[in-house]
């Protein structure tokens, strides 16, 4: 119940930000894609909104927002946690060592970065690369919901526990969520470890490889 109320508050704040002052009835929020009010717009509009966004305290410490990059629409969407120092400076997701590892992970299953859309749950860097706070995740979630609708992915790969919990609206740990296919309004969602975590914990690379195999198998099965 508390989660539903929090989602509703986040949705209403987002509508207010967009200039909508009243809604005819409460929306039925089944998953976080419902946080997008369905107001028409393009990816370019969305990127401009994110770059100007002051919805949470992270706007005060960012160098720039990092909305995401890649072709759109795009069959494959990758969702990470939040920009780090290099991403904050460059304005692009997954650069630096974690980005290099992600590129290698994709290459291992025959994909290049040019074939995927990459974004994060939270679009501005948390100071010191700390984990985003719950309020920051909730403030930013409607952007991801709208981004998913614009990218129209056929499959999603969530990287790390923040992405996993945000996409599935759950508090379950990643260790219990990975290793199987979840669905977000019919879109298969596979979860694995964040490349930055894998750099710190090389022993988890074996599990990440299993997740990538599951991702590839699911993707190939959709062809
Ligand atoms: S993290 Fe998201 S909600 Fe917070 S200021 Fe940046 S774009 Fe806005």
């Amino acid at each position: 119940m508390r989660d539903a109320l929090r989602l509703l508050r986040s949705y209403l704040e987002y509508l207010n930000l967009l200039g909508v002052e009243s809604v005819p009835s409460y929306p039925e929020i089944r998953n976080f894609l419902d946080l997008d009010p369905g107001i028409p717009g393009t990816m370019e509009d969305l990127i401009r909104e994110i770059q100007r966004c002051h919805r949470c305290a992270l706007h005060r410490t960012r160098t720039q927002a990092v909305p995401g990059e890649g072709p759109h629409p795009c069959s494959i969407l990758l969702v990470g946690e939040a920009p780090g120092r290099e991403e904050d400076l460059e304005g692009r997701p997954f650069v630096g060592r974690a980005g290099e590892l992600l590129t290698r992970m994709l290459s291992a299953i025959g994909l290049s970065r040019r074939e995927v859309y990459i974004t994060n749950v939270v679009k501005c860097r948390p100071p010191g690369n700390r984990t985003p706070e719950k309020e920051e995740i909730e403030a930013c979630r409607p952007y991801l919901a709208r981004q998913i609708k614009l990218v129209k992915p056929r499959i999603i790969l969530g990287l790390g526990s923040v992405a996993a919990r945000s996409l599935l609206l759950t508090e379950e740990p990643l260790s219990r969520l990975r290793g199987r296919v979840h669905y977000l309004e019919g879109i298969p969602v596979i979860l694995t470890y964040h490349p930055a975590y894998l750099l710190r914990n090389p022993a988890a690379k074996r599990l990440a490889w299993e997740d990538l195999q599951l991702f590839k198998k699911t993707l190939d099965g959709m062809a």
Side-chain angles (χ1 to χ4, degrees), residues 17 43 51 53 60 77 81 88 127-129 139 142 151-152 184 202 208 215:
L17 181 84
M43 183 66 86
Q51 287 166 338
C53 179
R60 297 198 196 101
L77 175 68
E81 179 177 310
D88 173 74
N129 292 359
V151 172
K152 299 184 176 65
L184 181 60
F215 174 79

Side-chain angles (χ1 to χ4, degrees), residues 50 53-56 58-59 62 122-124 136 139-140 143:
I50 291 171
C53 179
H54 288 184
R55 290 193 72 204
C56 81
L58 294 182
H59 80 273
R62 72 184 177 206
V122 165
K123 315 298 189 195
C124 302
E136 294 157 356
C140 216
Y143 292 130

Side-chain angles (χ1 to χ4, degrees), residues 105 192-193 198 204-213:
M105 288 163 70
T192 192
Y193 295 99
L198 295 174
K205 284 184 179 171
R206 184 183 58 77
L207 296 174
W209 175 241
E210 288 173 9
D211 298 332
L212 287 177
Q213 296 293 311

